[in-house]
């Protein structure tokens, strides 16, 4: 008899993903902050060479988290492909019901001012603001969780 289990077809297993990865002129590192919150920090340059790797790295580390901080404070260069990676991360987080926030250095903020003038991506100025925002999201989710089903639904 064959053993029965779950096979991950589309996303890598978060437990098997490395905690750090080098890609082009950037280094990505993931760290669990709490049981439901993960931080991904980026050091270096995000460009056409490594933007897709950044998006996949973030995706591989959100499988077991409900909240994500993308820390781009140590980014020296942030090209338009970086914006595409952030958009991909946004779609992934939305589909996976992960609250997330971006903390960016001046190259990141400059590009987001141009590519995201309406502020659709969740960006804040510093890490304290990021954590406060995620705490507020967590409180909102706790208040809106159904306590016993919907009235009238038997």
């Amino acid at each position: 008899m064959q053993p029965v289990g779950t096979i991950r077809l589309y996303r890598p297993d978060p437990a098997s993903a490395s905690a750090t990865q080098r890609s082009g002129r950037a280094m990505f590192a993931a760290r669990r902050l709490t049981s439901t919150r993960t931080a991904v920090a980026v050091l270096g340059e995000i460009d056409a060479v490594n933007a897709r790797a950044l998006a996949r790295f973030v995706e591989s580390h959100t499988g077991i988290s409900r909240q994500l901080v993308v820390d781009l404070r140590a980014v020296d260069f942030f090209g338009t492909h970086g914006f595409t990676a952030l958009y991909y991360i946004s779609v992934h987080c939305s589909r996976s019901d992960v609250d997330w926030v971006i903390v960016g250095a001046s190259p990141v903020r400059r590009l987001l001012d141009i590519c995201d003038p309406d502020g659709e991506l969740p960006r804040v100025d510093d890490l304290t603001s990021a954590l406060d925002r995620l705490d507020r999201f967590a409180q909102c989710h706790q208040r809106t969780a159904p306590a016993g089903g919907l009235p009238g639904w038997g």
Side-chain angles (χ1 to χ4, degrees):
M1 178 183 222
Q2 293 289 334
V4 177
T6 302
I7 299 172
R8 298 175 73 81
L9 295 176
Y10 301 106
R11 289 190 313 179
D13 182 4
S16 68
S18 66
T20 61
Q21 177 181 329
R22 178 172 287 285
S23 181
R25 292 183 167 190
M27 174 73 79
F28 315 137
R31 188 174 122 216
R32 293 288 305 258
L33 300 176
T34 68
S35 62
T36 59
R37 187 178 291 170
T38 299
V40 173
V42 179
L43 171 71
E45 301 178 1
I46 301 299
D47 53 22
V49 172
N50 57 15
R52 182 174 289 176
L54 169 61
R56 288 185 176 154
F57 183 83
V58 169
E59 179 183 27
S60 71
H61 286 86
T62 56
I64 55 177
S65 296
R66 299 285 29 119
Q67 295 188 326
L68 170 69
V69 175
V70 178
D71 185 351
L72 304 175
R73 293 176 296 165
V75 171
D76 302 322
F77 174 82
F78 197 75
T80 56
H81 286 85
F83 175 76
T84 304
L86 291 179
Y87 183 79
Y88 177 86
I89 293 166
S90 178
V91 170
H92 167 71
C93 287
S94 178
R95 289 179 178 168
S96 303
D97 195 28
V98 174
D99 296 325
W100 75 296
V101 66
I102 303 163
V103 184
S106 62
V108 177
R109 290 191 307 266
R110 189 175 320 122
L111 188 75
L112 289 179
D113 286 343
I114 296 167
C115 295
D116 185 32
D118 295 329
E120 297 292 324
L121 295 177
R123 95 177 139 152
V124 295
D125 294 330
D126 55 50
L127 190 56
T128 303
S129 299
L131 298 177
D132 289 345
R133 184 173 182 164
L134 291 176
D135 287 341
R136 284 193 306 273
F137 285 150
Q139 289 172 354
C140 288
H141 290 307
Q142 288 173 356
R143 276 188 240 137
T144 60
L150 296 173
W153 292 65

